[in-house]
């Protein structure tokens, strides 16, 4: 008896690798779009040039209405006596929105790159008062996900959410606060060792005058937008590494732009951006050759990110890195829902699936943008390969495969929709499921693991009345979800 699978042909291993790294999981629907585009490279290049409109992501518009509210009203509502719409709860909704959007988005590469930049320029979601501008911050980065690094850097560093988070809104010419000036150098551009403490002070002075219209009294309304106050700008010569400016006129709002332009084009910034991209999309230990080549492309293209990404995916090191990156908890929960074909509806209660995904991610050890420090959550394998993480993933996979939790506000696939034409050998059933979930044929190792989980033999015949077609089907699904192939991207 031959293999029972007669569905849509699989992508080639190289195409699957590219799509997997720049999506939250290859589904049959995504694979069909890739084939229609003429292959993974053509699909990917089209995605790089596509706009921000995303019909798939539009499905969740309005699910968490506070996110669309005016920052001033968000602030007042969060401070009202007896309010249940605190900043903490609004940001929990933002985390849920992020996970739900990644599950349903059509523009998968843009979602992946948005998360990448939003993590690099981390403004923790559970921050106060930055929560009033946090949703707009994420949307700003999403719009610029494929722009130049100078554009992304400027948009992030000057956004009200960042100014609020790192206390720039309280910085004055008499007492410059160094937080943003330091992180701009240490995390966002050149990195430690390229500057000294006097240059941190100069960096902070350059940023003085950039403030946020705040209102910390419960009854006051404010726009919470960014503005420039020349009366609070420190004047005098500023020097940071090779950057120097006389800085005589406090009305000169172009100083910050000149400074950010210099930092974005610094060789050390080029290497740091290249290193981070290589670690995220290739491996934890990219070669010096690859990183230096990506940095050269970055500088030669005036910090444009698309040419750097094109050089990355064209490199032999990327092509040879199949299976070398572990999914973090957020990627795992999103990929699992996508693989199982979960169909969520607008949440009505905290028990609905669109709400529960956040708790599931937490069980695995991480929720979106909750990392409390400015440096963002780790993107290496070791951080997400602990026993606790694995046990959390196994538990969540089991609950989802069984449809046990969540079981409200979600529709799961029926058992019959998973199965090949029966009768079929057990090994063929596993292969059929593997192709749908992992988008690859079942390996002998996976077939043996599924056999062990169910107590069946690979050659056993599965009929419509067989336990594997009913009660044991969930065990097979769980085993496939627990496999290294699903836990890697």
């Amino acid at each position: 008896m031959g293999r029972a699978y007669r569905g849509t042909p699989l992508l080639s291993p190289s195409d699957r690798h590219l799509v997997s790294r720049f999506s939250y999981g290859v589904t049959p629907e995504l694979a069909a779009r890739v084939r229609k585009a003429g292959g993974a490279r053509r699909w990917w290049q089209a995605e790089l040039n596509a706009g921000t409109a995303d019909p798939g992501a539009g499905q969740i518009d309005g699910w968490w209405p506070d996110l669309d509210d005016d920052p001033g009203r968000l602030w007042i509502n969060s401070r009202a006596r007896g309010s249940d719409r605190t900043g903490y709860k609004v940001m929990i909704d933002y985390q849920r929105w992020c996970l739900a959007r990644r599950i349903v988005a059509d523009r998968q590469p843009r979602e992946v790159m948005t998360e990448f930049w939003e993590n690099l320029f981390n403004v923790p979601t559970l921050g106060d008062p930055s929560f009033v501008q946090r949703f707009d911050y994420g949307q700003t980065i999403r719009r610029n996900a494929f722009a130049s690094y100078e554009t992304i850097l400027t948009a992030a560093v000057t956004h009200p959410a960042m100014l609020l988070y790192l206390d720039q809104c309280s910085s004055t010419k008499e007492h410059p606060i160094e937080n943003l000036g330091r992180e701009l150098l240490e995390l966002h551009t050149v990195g430690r060792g390229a500057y000294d403490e006097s240059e941190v002070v100069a960096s902070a002075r350059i940023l003085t005058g950039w403030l946020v219209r705040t209102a910390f009294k419960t009854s006051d309304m404010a726009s919470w937008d960014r503005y420039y106050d020349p009366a609070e700008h420190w004047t005098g010569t500023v020097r940071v590494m090779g950057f120097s400016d006389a800085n005589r006129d406090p009305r000169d709002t172009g100083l910050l732009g000149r400074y950010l332009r210099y930092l974005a084009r610094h060789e050390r910034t080029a290497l740091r951006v290249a290193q981070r991209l290589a670690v995220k999309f290739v491996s934890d230990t990219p070669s010096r050759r690859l990183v230096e080549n990506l940095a050269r492309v970055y500088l030669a293209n005036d910090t444009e990110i698309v040419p750097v990404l094109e050089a990355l995916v064209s490199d032999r090191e990327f092509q040879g890195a199949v299976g070398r990156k572990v999914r973090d908890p957020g990627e795992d929960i999103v990929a699992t829902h996508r693989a199982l074909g979960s169909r969520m509806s607008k949440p009505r209660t905290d028990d609905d699936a669109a709400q529960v995904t956040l708790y599931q991610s937490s069980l695995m050890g991480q929720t979106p943008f909750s990392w409390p420090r400015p440096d963002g959550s780790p993107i290496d394998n070791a951080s997400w390969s602990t026993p606790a993480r694995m046990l959390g993933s196994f538990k969540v996979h089991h609950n989802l495969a069984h449809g046990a939790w969540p079981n409200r506000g979600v529709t799961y696939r029926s058992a019959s929709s998973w199965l090949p034409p029966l009768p079929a050998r057990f090994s063929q059933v596993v292969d059929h499921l593997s192709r749908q979930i992992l988008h690859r044929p079942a390996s002998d190792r996976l077939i043996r693991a599924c056999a062990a989980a169910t107590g069946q033999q690979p050659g056993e015949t599965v009929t419509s009345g067989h336990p594997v077609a009913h009660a044991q089907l969930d065990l097979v699904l769980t085993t496939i979800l627990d496999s290294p192939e699903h836990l890697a991207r």
Side-chain angles (χ1 to χ4, degrees), residues 254-274:
L255 171 63
L256 179 56
R258 294 192 294 274
Y259 179 47
L260 294 177
R261 180 179 177 82
Y262 165 79
L263 290 176
R265 285 161 178 74
H266 197 282
E267 289 183 358
R268 288 184 63 122
T269 301
L271 287 168
R272 282 174 56 77
V273 172

Side-chain angles (χ1 to χ4, degrees), residues 439-487:
H439 204 76
R440 68 183 77 198
S443 64
D444 290 340
R445 180 181 64 179
L446 181 60
I447 292 171
R448 290 195 302 272
C450 291
T454 58
Q456 307 296 335
Q457 295 298 318
E460 183 163 349
T461 298
V462 176
T463 64
S464 59
H466 194 279
V468 168
H470 300 282
Q472 291 188 337
L473 178 62
D474 300 336
L475 296 176
V476 179
L477 293 174
T478 300
T479 304
I480 295 174
L481 293 171
D482 289 346
S483 69
E485 289 80 8
H486 180 70
L487 289 165

Side-chain angles (χ1 to χ4, degrees), residues 226-299:
R226 181 192 68 229
Y227 73 102
Y228 181 76
D229 183 358
E232 288 297 347
H233 178 68
W234 187 94
T235 54
T237 300
V238 285
R239 294 186 178 87
V240 181
M241 297 176 296
F243 178 82
S244 179
D245 197 288
N247 185 30
R248 295 191 184 94
D249 186 356
R251 296 168 298 178
D252 178 13
T253 58
L255 171 63
L256 179 56
R258 294 192 294 274
Y259 179 47
L260 294 177
R261 180 179 177 82
Y262 165 79
L263 290 176
R265 285 161 178 74
H266 197 282
E267 289 183 358
R268 288 184 63 122
T269 301
L271 287 168
R272 282 174 56 77
V273 172
Q275 175 76 20
R276 194 169 182 94
L277 285 168
V279 169
K280 178 66 177 179
F281 294 107
V282 182
S283 73
D284 286 4
T285 55
S287 69
R288 181 174 178 179
R289 175 201 61 81
L290 172 63
V291 172
E292 290 180 346
N293 180 57
L294 296 180
R296 282 192 295 270
V297 173
Y298 171 96
L299 293 171

